[in-house]
Coordinates of all heavy atoms in Angstrom, one line a residue:
M1 N 0.9 -1.2 0.0 CA 0.0 0.0 0.0 C 0.9 1.2 0.0 O 1.9 1.3 0.7 CB -0.9 0.0 1.2 CG -1.6 1.3 1.5 SD -3.4 1.4 1.6 CE -4.1 -0.1 1.8
F2 N 0.5 2.2 -0.8 CA 1.3 3.4 -0.9 C 0.6 4.6 -0.2 O -0.6 4.7 -0.2 CB 1.5 3.8 -2.4 CG 2.4 2.9 -3.2 CD1 1.8 2.0 -4.0 CD2 3.7 3.0 -3.1 CE1 2.6 1.1 -4.7 CE2 4.6 2.1 -3.8 CZ 4.0 1.2 -4.6
G3 N 1.5 5.4 0.4 CA 0.9 6.6 1.1 C 0.9 7.7 0.0 O 1.1 7.5 -1.1
P4 N 0.6 8.9 0.5 CA 0.6 10.1 -0.4 C 2.0 10.3 -1.0 O 3.0 10.2 -0.3 CB 0.2 11.3 0.4 CG -0.1 10.7 1.8 CD 0.3 9.3 1.8
L5 N 2.0 10.5 -2.3 CA 3.3 10.7 -3.0 C 3.5 12.2 -3.4 O 2.5 12.8 -3.8 CB 3.4 9.9 -4.2 CG 3.4 8.4 -4.0 CD1 3.4 7.6 -5.3 CD2 4.6 7.9 -3.2
I6 N 4.7 12.7 -3.2 CA 5.0 14.0 -3.7 C 5.7 13.9 -5.1 O 6.8 13.4 -5.2 CB 5.9 14.8 -2.7 CG1 5.2 15.0 -1.4 CG2 6.3 16.2 -3.3 CD1 6.0 15.6 -0.3
A7 N 4.9 14.2 -6.1 CA 5.4 13.9 -7.5 C 6.5 14.9 -7.9 O 7.5 14.6 -8.6 CB 4.3 13.9 -8.5
K8 N 6.3 16.2 -7.4 CA 7.3 17.2 -7.8 C 8.0 17.7 -6.6 O 7.4 18.4 -5.7 CB 6.6 18.4 -8.5 CG 6.0 18.0 -9.9 CD 5.4 19.3 -10.5 CE 4.7 18.9 -11.8 NZ 3.9 20.0 -12.3
P9 N 9.3 17.4 -6.4 CA 10.0 17.9 -5.2 C 10.0 19.4 -5.2 O 10.1 20.1 -6.2 CB 11.4 17.4 -5.5 CG 11.3 16.3 -6.5 CD 10.1 16.6 -7.3
G10 N 10.0 20.0 -4.0 CA 10.1 21.4 -3.8 C 8.8 22.1 -4.1 O 8.7 23.3 -4.2
S11 N 7.7 21.4 -4.2 CA 6.4 22.0 -4.6 C 5.8 22.7 -3.4 O 4.8 23.5 -3.6 CB 5.4 21.0 -5.1 OG 5.2 20.0 -4.1
S12 N 6.3 22.5 -2.2 CA 5.7 23.1 -1.0 C 5.7 24.6 -1.1 O 4.8 25.3 -0.5 CB 6.3 22.6 0.3 OG 7.7 23.0 0.3
Q13 N 6.7 25.2 -1.7 CA 6.7 26.7 -1.8 C 5.5 27.2 -2.6 O 5.1 28.4 -2.5 CB 8.0 27.1 -2.5 CG 9.2 27.2 -1.6 CD 10.3 27.9 -2.2 OE1 10.4 27.9 -3.4 NE2 11.2 28.4 -1.4
H14 N 4.9 26.4 -3.4 CA 3.8 26.8 -4.2 C 2.4 26.6 -3.5 O 1.4 27.0 -4.0 CB 3.8 26.1 -5.6 CG 5.1 26.4 -6.3 ND1 5.5 27.6 -6.8 CD2 6.1 25.5 -6.7 CE1 6.7 27.5 -7.3 NE2 7.1 26.3 -7.3
N15 N 2.5 25.8 -2.5 CA 1.3 25.5 -1.7 C 1.1 26.4 -0.6 O 1.7 26.3 0.5 CB 1.3 24.0 -1.2 CG 1.4 23.0 -2.3 OD1 0.9 23.2 -3.4 ND2 2.0 21.9 -2.0
K16 N 0.4 27.5 -0.8 CA 0.2 28.5 0.2 C -0.7 28.0 1.3 O -1.9 28.1 1.3 CB -0.2 29.8 -0.4 CG 0.8 30.4 -1.4 CD 0.5 31.8 -1.8 CE 1.7 32.3 -2.5 NZ 1.5 33.7 -3.1
T17 N 0.0 27.5 2.4 CA -0.8 26.9 3.5 C -1.5 27.9 4.4 O -2.2 27.6 5.3 CB 0.2 26.0 4.4 OG1 1.4 26.8 4.6 CG2 0.5 24.8 3.7
G18 N -1.3 29.2 4.1 CA -2.0 30.3 4.8 C -3.5 30.1 4.8 O -4.3 30.5 5.7
S19 N -4.0 29.4 3.7 CA -5.5 29.3 3.6 C -6.0 28.2 4.6 O -7.2 28.1 4.8 CB -5.9 28.8 2.2 OG -5.2 27.6 1.9
W20 N -5.1 27.5 5.3 CA -5.5 26.5 6.3 C -6.0 27.2 7.6 O -6.7 26.6 8.4 CB -4.4 25.6 6.7 CG -3.9 24.7 5.5 CD1 -4.2 24.8 4.2 CD2 -3.0 23.6 5.6 NE1 -3.6 23.8 3.5 CE2 -2.9 23.1 4.3 CE3 -2.4 23.0 6.7 CZ2 -2.0 22.0 4.1 CZ3 -1.6 21.9 6.4 CH2 -1.4 21.4 5.1
R21 N -5.6 28.5 7.8 CA -6.0 29.1 9.1 C -7.5 29.3 9.1 O -8.1 29.6 8.1 CB -5.4 30.5 9.2 CG -3.9 30.5 9.5 CD -3.4 31.9 9.9 NE -3.9 33.0 9.1 CZ -3.4 33.4 7.9 NH1 -2.3 32.8 7.5 NH2 -3.9 34.4 7.2
I22 N -8.1 29.0 10.3 CA -9.5 29.1 10.4 C -9.9 30.3 11.2 O -10.8 31.0 10.9 CB -10.2 27.8 10.8 CG1 -9.4 27.0 11.8 CG2 -10.7 27.0 9.7 CD1 -10.0 25.8 12.2
K23 N -9.3 30.6 12.3 CA -9.8 31.7 13.1 C -8.8 32.6 13.7 O -9.1 33.7 14.2 CB -10.7 31.1 14.2 CG -10.0 30.1 15.1 CD -11.0 29.6 16.2 CE -10.1 28.7 17.1 NZ -10.6 28.1 18.2
S24 N -7.5 32.3 13.8 CA -6.6 33.2 14.4 C -5.2 33.2 13.7 O -4.8 32.2 13.1 CB -6.4 32.9 15.9 OG -6.1 31.6 16.1
R25 N -4.5 34.3 13.9 CA -3.2 34.4 13.3 C -2.2 35.0 14.3 O -2.7 35.7 15.2 CB -3.3 35.4 12.1 CG -3.8 36.7 12.5 CD -3.7 37.8 11.4 NE -4.5 37.5 10.2 CZ -4.5 38.3 9.1 NH1 -3.7 39.4 9.1 NH2 -5.2 38.0 8.1
P26 N -1.0 34.7 14.2 CA 0.0 35.3 15.1 C 0.2 36.8 14.9 O 0.2 37.2 13.7 CB 1.3 34.5 14.9 CG 1.2 34.1 13.5 CD -0.3 33.9 13.2
K27 N 0.4 37.5 16.0 CA 0.8 38.9 15.8 C 2.1 39.1 16.6 O 2.2 38.8 17.8 CB -0.3 39.8 16.4 CG 0.1 41.3 16.3 CD -1.0 42.2 16.8 CE -0.7 43.6 16.7 NZ -1.7 44.5 17.2
F28 N 3.1 39.6 16.0 CA 4.4 39.8 16.6 C 4.4 41.2 17.2 O 4.3 42.2 16.5 CB 5.5 39.6 15.6 CG 5.7 38.2 15.1 CD1 4.8 37.6 14.2 CD2 6.7 37.4 15.6 CE1 4.9 36.3 13.9 CE2 6.9 36.1 15.2 CZ 5.9 35.5 14.3
L29 N 4.5 41.3 18.5 CA 4.3 42.6 19.2 C 5.6 43.4 19.1 O 5.5 44.7 19.2 CB 4.0 42.3 20.7 CG 2.7 41.5 20.9 CD1 2.5 41.3 22.4 CD2 1.5 42.2 20.3
K30 N 6.7 42.8 18.9 CA 8.0 43.5 18.6 C 8.3 44.5 19.8 O 8.8 45.6 19.5 CB 7.9 44.3 17.3 CG 7.7 43.4 16.1 CD 7.5 44.2 14.8 CE 7.2 43.3 13.6 NZ 8.3 43.1 12.7
K31 N 8.1 44.0 21.0 CA 8.4 44.9 22.2 C 9.4 44.2 23.0 O 10.4 44.8 23.4 CB 7.1 45.2 23.0 CG 6.2 46.1 22.3 CD 5.0 46.4 23.2 CE 4.0 47.3 22.5 NZ 2.7 47.3 23.1
E32 N 9.2 43.0 23.4 CA 10.1 42.3 24.3 C 11.0 41.3 23.6 O 11.8 40.6 24.3 CB 9.2 41.5 25.4 CG 8.3 42.4 26.1 CD 9.0 43.4 27.0 OE1 10.1 43.1 27.5 OE2 8.4 44.5 27.2
C33 N 10.9 41.1 22.3 CA 11.7 40.1 21.6 C 13.2 40.2 21.9 O 13.7 41.3 21.8 CB 11.4 40.2 20.1 SG 12.5 39.2 19.1
I34 N 13.8 39.1 22.2 CA 15.3 39.1 22.5 C 16.0 38.5 21.3 O 17.2 38.2 21.4 CB 15.6 38.4 23.8 CG1 15.0 37.0 23.8 CG2 15.1 39.2 25.0 CD1 15.4 36.1 25.0
G35 N 15.3 38.2 20.2 CA 16.0 37.6 19.1 C 16.5 36.2 19.3 O 17.5 35.8 18.6
C36 N 15.9 35.4 20.1 CA 16.3 34.0 20.4 C 16.1 33.1 19.2 O 16.7 32.0 19.1 CB 15.7 33.5 21.7 SG 13.9 33.2 21.5
K37 N 15.2 33.4 18.4 CA 14.8 32.7 17.2 C 14.1 31.3 17.4 O 14.1 30.5 16.6 CB 16.0 32.5 16.3 CG 16.6 33.8 15.8 CD 17.7 33.6 14.8 CE 18.3 35.0 14.3 NZ 19.4 34.9 13.5
L38 N 13.7 31.1 18.7 CA 13.0 29.9 19.0 C 11.7 29.7 18.1 O 11.3 28.7 17.6 CB 12.6 29.8 20.4 CG 13.7 29.5 21.4 CD1 13.3 29.5 22.9 CD2 14.3 28.1 21.1
C39 N 11.1 30.9 17.9 CA 9.8 30.8 17.0 C 10.2 30.4 15.6 O 9.4 29.6 15.0 CB 9.1 32.2 17.0 SG 10.2 33.6 16.6
I40 N 11.3 30.8 15.1 CA 11.7 30.4 13.8 C 12.0 28.9 13.7 O 11.6 28.2 12.8 CB 13.0 31.2 13.4 CG1 12.7 32.7 13.2 CG2 13.6 30.7 12.1 CD1 13.9 33.6 12.9
L41 N 12.6 28.4 14.8 CA 13.0 27.0 14.8 C 11.7 26.1 14.9 O 11.7 25.0 14.3 CB 13.9 26.7 16.0 CG 15.3 27.1 15.9 CD1 16.0 26.9 17.2 CD2 16.0 26.3 14.8
V42 N 10.7 26.6 15.6 CA 9.6 25.7 15.9 C 8.5 25.8 14.8 O 7.7 24.9 14.7 CB 9.0 26.1 17.3 CG1 8.1 27.3 17.2 CG2 8.2 24.9 17.9
C43 N 8.5 26.8 14.0 CA 7.5 27.0 13.0 C 7.5 25.9 11.9 O 8.4 25.7 11.2 CB 7.6 28.3 12.3 SG 6.4 28.6 11.0
P44 N 6.4 25.1 11.9 CA 6.4 23.9 10.9 C 6.3 24.4 9.5 O 6.6 23.6 8.6 CB 5.1 23.2 11.3 CG 4.2 24.2 12.0 CD 5.2 25.2 12.7
E45 N 6.0 25.6 9.2 CA 5.9 26.1 7.8 C 7.2 26.9 7.5 O 7.3 27.4 6.3 CB 4.7 27.0 7.6 CG 3.4 26.2 7.8 CD 3.3 25.1 6.8 OE1 3.7 25.3 5.6 OE2 2.9 24.0 7.1
S46 N 8.1 27.1 8.4 CA 9.3 27.9 8.2 C 9.0 29.2 7.5 O 9.6 29.7 6.6 CB 10.3 27.1 7.2 OG 10.7 25.9 7.8
C47 N 7.9 29.8 8.1 CA 7.5 31.1 7.5 C 7.8 32.3 8.3 O 7.4 33.4 8.0 CB 6.0 31.0 7.1 SG 4.9 30.9 8.6
I48 N 8.6 32.1 9.4 CA 9.0 33.2 10.2 C 10.4 33.6 9.9 O 11.3 32.7 9.7 CB 8.9 32.9 11.8 CG1 7.5 32.4 12.1 CG2 9.3 34.1 12.6 CD1 7.4 31.9 13.6
T49 N 10.6 34.9 9.7 CA 12.0 35.4 9.4 C 12.3 36.6 10.2 O 11.4 37.1 10.9 CB 12.1 35.8 7.9 OG1 11.1 36.8 7.6 CG2 11.9 34.6 6.9
G50 N 13.5 36.9 10.3 CA 14.0 38.1 11.0 C 15.0 37.7 12.1 O 15.3 36.5 12.3
S51 N 15.6 38.7 12.7 CA 16.7 38.4 13.6 C 16.6 39.2 14.9 O 17.3 38.9 15.9 CB 18.0 38.7 13.0 OG 18.1 40.0 12.5
D52 N 15.7 40.2 15.0 CA 15.5 40.9 16.2 C 14.1 41.5 16.3 O 13.3 41.2 15.4 CB 16.6 42.0 16.3 CG 16.5 43.0 15.1 OD1 15.4 43.2 14.6 OD2 17.6 43.4 14.7
K53 N 13.9 42.3 17.3 CA 12.5 42.7 17.5 C 12.0 43.6 16.4 O 10.8 43.7 16.2 CB 12.3 43.3 18.9 CG 12.9 44.7 19.0 CD 12.5 45.3 20.4 CE 13.1 46.7 20.5 NZ 12.8 47.2 21.8
D54 N 12.8 44.2 15.7 CA 12.4 45.1 14.6 C 12.1 44.4 13.3 O 11.3 44.8 12.5 CB 13.5 46.2 14.3 CG 13.7 47.1 15.5 OD1 12.7 47.4 16.2 OD2 14.8 47.5 15.8
T55 N 12.7 43.2 13.2 CA 12.5 42.5 11.9 C 11.7 41.2 12.0 O 11.3 40.7 10.9 CB 13.9 42.2 11.3 OG1 14.7 41.4 12.2 CG2 14.7 43.5 11.0
I56 N 11.5 40.7 13.2 CA 10.9 39.4 13.3 C 9.4 39.5 12.8 O 8.7 40.4 13.1 CB 11.0 38.8 14.7 CG1 10.7 37.3 14.7 CG2 10.0 39.5 15.6 CD1 12.0 36.5 14.7
N57 N 9.0 38.5 11.9 CA 7.7 38.5 11.4 C 7.4 37.2 10.7 O 8.3 36.4 10.5 CB 7.5 39.7 10.4 CG 6.1 40.3 10.5 OD1 5.2 39.7 10.9 ND2 6.1 41.6 10.2
C58 N 6.2 37.0 10.3 CA 5.9 35.8 9.5 C 5.1 36.1 8.3 O 4.5 37.1 8.1 CB 5.1 34.8 10.4 SG 3.3 35.2 10.6
D59 N 5.2 35.2 7.3 CA 4.6 35.3 6.0 C 3.2 34.7 6.1 O 3.1 33.4 6.2 CB 5.4 34.6 5.0 CG 4.9 34.9 3.6 OD1 3.7 35.2 3.4 OD2 5.6 34.7 2.6
L60 N 2.2 35.5 6.2 CA 0.8 35.0 6.4 C 0.3 34.1 5.2 O -0.7 33.4 5.3 CB -0.2 36.1 6.7 CG 0.1 36.7 8.1 CD1 -0.8 38.0 8.2 CD2 -0.2 35.7 9.2
D61 N 1.0 34.2 4.1 CA 0.6 33.3 2.9 C 0.9 31.9 3.3 O 0.3 31.0 2.7 CB 1.4 33.7 1.7 CG 0.9 34.9 1.0 OD1 -0.3 35.3 1.3 OD2 1.5 35.5 0.1
Y62 N 1.8 31.6 4.3 CA 2.1 30.3 4.6 C 1.8 29.9 6.0 O 1.7 28.7 6.3 CB 3.6 30.0 4.3 CG 4.0 30.2 2.9 CD1 4.4 31.4 2.4 CD2 3.9 29.1 2.0 CE1 4.7 31.6 1.0 CE2 4.1 29.3 0.7 CZ 4.6 30.5 0.2 OH 4.9 30.6 -1.2
C63 N 1.6 30.9 6.9 CA 1.2 30.6 8.3 C -0.1 29.9 8.4 O -1.1 30.4 7.8 CB 1.2 31.9 9.1 SG 0.4 31.7 10.7
K64 N -0.1 28.7 9.0 CA -1.4 28.0 9.1 C -2.1 28.1 10.5 O -3.0 27.5 10.8 CB -1.2 26.5 8.8 CG -0.2 25.7 9.6 CD -0.1 24.3 9.0 CE 1.0 23.6 9.7 NZ 1.3 22.3 9.1
G65 N -1.5 29.0 11.3 CA -2.2 29.4 12.5 C -2.1 28.4 13.6 O -3.0 28.3 14.5
C66 N -1.1 27.6 13.7 CA -1.0 26.5 14.7 C -0.7 27.0 16.1 O -1.0 26.3 17.0 CB 0.1 25.5 14.3 SG 1.8 26.2 14.4
G67 N -0.1 28.2 16.2 CA 0.1 28.8 17.5 C 1.4 28.3 18.2 O 1.6 28.7 19.4
L68 N 2.2 27.5 17.6 CA 3.4 27.0 18.2 C 4.4 28.1 18.6 O 5.0 28.1 19.6 CB 4.1 26.0 17.3 CG 3.4 24.6 17.3 CD1 4.2 23.7 16.3 CD2 3.4 23.9 18.6
C69 N 4.5 29.1 17.7 CA 5.4 30.2 17.9 C 5.0 31.0 19.2 O 5.8 31.4 20.0 CB 5.4 31.2 16.7 SG 3.8 31.8 16.2
V70 N 3.7 31.1 19.4 CA 3.2 31.8 20.6 C 3.5 31.0 21.8 O 4.0 31.6 22.8 CB 1.6 32.0 20.5 CG1 1.0 32.5 21.8 CG2 1.3 32.8 19.3
K71 N 3.4 29.7 21.8 CA 3.7 28.8 22.9 C 5.2 28.9 23.3 O 5.5 28.8 24.5 CB 3.3 27.4 22.6 CG 1.8 27.2 22.5 CD 1.3 26.3 23.7 CE -0.1 25.9 23.5 NZ -1.0 26.7 24.3
I72 N 6.0 28.9 22.3 CA 7.5 28.8 22.6 C 8.1 30.1 23.0 O 9.2 30.1 23.6 CB 8.2 28.2 21.4 CG1 9.6 27.6 21.8 CG2 8.5 29.2 20.3 CD1 9.5 26.1 22.0
C73 N 7.6 31.2 22.6 CA 8.2 32.5 22.9 C 8.4 32.8 24.3 O 7.5 32.9 25.1 CB 7.4 33.7 22.3 SG 8.2 35.3 22.5
P74 N 9.7 32.9 24.8 CA 10.0 33.0 26.2 C 9.6 34.4 26.7 O 9.5 34.6 27.9 CB 11.5 32.8 26.3 CG 12.0 33.2 24.9 CD 10.9 32.8 24.0
K75 N 9.4 35.4 25.8 CA 9.1 36.7 26.3 C 7.6 37.1 26.1 O 7.2 38.2 26.2 CB 10.0 37.8 25.5 CG 11.5 37.6 25.7 CD 11.9 37.6 27.1 CE 11.9 39.0 27.7 NZ 12.4 39.1 29.0
K76 N 6.8 36.1 25.6 CA 5.4 36.3 25.4 C 5.2 37.5 24.4 O 4.3 38.4 24.6 CB 4.6 36.6 26.7 CG 4.8 35.5 27.8 CD 4.1 34.3 27.4 CE 4.3 33.2 28.4 NZ 4.6 31.9 27.9
D77 N 6.0 37.6 23.4 CA 6.0 38.7 22.5 C 5.2 38.4 21.2 O 5.2 39.2 20.3 CB 7.4 39.2 22.2 CG 7.5 40.6 21.8 OD1 6.7 41.4 22.4 OD2 8.3 41.0 21.0
I78 N 4.6 37.2 21.2 CA 3.7 36.9 20.1 C 2.4 36.5 20.7 O 2.3 35.8 21.7 CB 4.3 35.7 19.3 CG1 5.8 35.8 19.0 CG2 3.5 35.6 17.9 CD1 6.4 34.5 18.5
I79 N 1.3 37.0 20.1 CA 0.0 36.7 20.5 C -0.8 36.2 19.3 O -0.5 36.4 18.2 CB -0.8 37.8 21.2 CG1 -0.9 39.0 20.2 CG2 -0.1 38.3 22.5 CD1 -1.9 40.1 20.6
M80 N -1.9 35.4 19.6 CA -2.8 35.1 18.5 C -3.9 36.1 18.5 O -4.5 36.4 19.5 CB -3.4 33.6 18.7 CG -2.4 32.5 18.6 SD -1.4 32.5 17.0 CE -2.6 31.6 16.0
E81 N -4.2 36.6 17.3 CA -5.4 37.5 17.2 C -6.4 36.9 16.2 O -6.0 36.2 15.4 CB -4.9 38.9 16.8 CG -4.3 39.0 15.4 CD -4.0 40.4 15.0 OE1 -4.1 41.3 15.9 OE2 -3.6 40.6 13.8
E82 N -7.6 37.4 16.4 CA -8.7 36.9 15.6 C -8.4 37.2 14.1 O -8.0 38.3 13.8 CB -10.0 37.5 16.1 CG -11.2 36.6 15.7 CD -12.4 37.0 16.5 OE1 -12.3 37.1 17.8 OE2 -13.4 37.3 15.9
E83 N -8.7 36.3 13.3 CA -8.6 36.5 11.8 C -9.6 37.5 11.4 O -10.8 37.5 11.8 CB -8.9 35.1 11.1 CG -8.4 35.0 9.7 CD -6.9 34.9 9.6 OE1 -6.3 34.0 10.3 OE2 -6.3 35.6 8.8
R84 N -9.2 38.5 10.6 CA -10.1 39.5 10.1 C -10.7 39.2 8.8 O -10.2 38.4 8.0 CB -9.4 40.9 10.0 CG -9.3 41.5 11.4 CD -8.4 42.7 11.4 NE -7.1 42.4 11.9 CZ -5.9 42.8 11.4 NH1 -5.9 43.6 10.4 NH2 -4.8 42.4 11.9
Ligands
SF4_101 S1 1.2 30.1 14.0 FE1 2.3 28.2 13.4 S2 2.6 28.4 11.2 FE2 2.0 30.4 11.9 S3 4.0 31.5 12.2 FE3 3.4 30.6 14.2 S4 4.4 28.5 14.2 FE4 4.4 29.3 12.1
SF4_102 S1 10.6 33.4 20.3 FE1 9.9 35.4 20.9 S2 11.8 36.4 21.8 FE2 12.5 34.6 20.5 S3 12.9 35.5 18.5 FE3 10.7 34.8 18.5 S4 9.5 36.6 19.0 FE4 11.6 37.0 19.6

C-alpha cells in the first residue's frame, strides 16, 4: 500500500498553507523580543523570518495558525489575534 506521494520535489513553496488558518493568526508585538529565534525553529511552515524585535515577522501566505510560535516565545512577545 502506498501513502501520499509528492510527485514534484520542492512543490511546498507553491502550496500557500495560509489558507488553512481558520480563526486566528499570530501577531508579533515587537516589544520584548530578544532575538532568540525559537519561534523560527519551531514553525512547521518555516514562514517566520527576522533576527531581532524590529525585523521578526511571519509570512501569512504560509502561516497555518498552529500557535506553536506563541507557545514557545519566552518573552510572550507573540499573541494570536482573531482572523479579520
Ligand atoms: S502560527 Fe504556526 S505556522 Fe504560523 S507562524 Fe506561528 S508557528 Fe508558524
Ligand atoms: S521566540 Fe519570541 S523572543 Fe524569541 S525571536 Fe521569536 S519573538 Fe523573539
Side-chain angles (χ1 to χ4, degrees):
M1 168 123 17
F2 291 101
L5 295 175
I6 297 173
K8 291 183 185 170
S11 61
S12 62
Q13 276 190 338
H14 304 294
N15 297 329
K16 294 193 171 176
T17 45
S19 61
W20 294 12
R21 285 195 315 276
I22 30 180
K23 55 180 184 176
S24 56
R25 59 167 66 181
K27 179 176 183 182
F28 291 74
L29 301 177
K30 301 173 182 256
K31 288 181 181 162
E32 304 295 327
C33 173
I34 52 172
C36 69
K37 299 187 180 176
L38 285 174
C39 54
I40 294 174
L41 285 173
V42 80
C43 177
E45 294 301 318
S46 300
C47 66
I48 304 176
T49 56
S51 55
D52 55 37
K53 73 175 181 180
D54 295 324
T55 57
I56 201 92
N57 219 330
C58 78
D59 186 340
L60 290 171
D61 279 347
Y62 295 94
C63 167
K64 58 187 177 188
C66 68
L68 286 176
C69 54
V70 174
K71 290 247 188 258
I72 200 96
C73 180
K75 302 303 284 183
K76 308 285 178 228
D77 207 33
I78 316 170
I79 59 169
M80 293 304 276
E81 67 175 6
E82 207 167 305
E83 198 74 48
R84 281 171 258 141

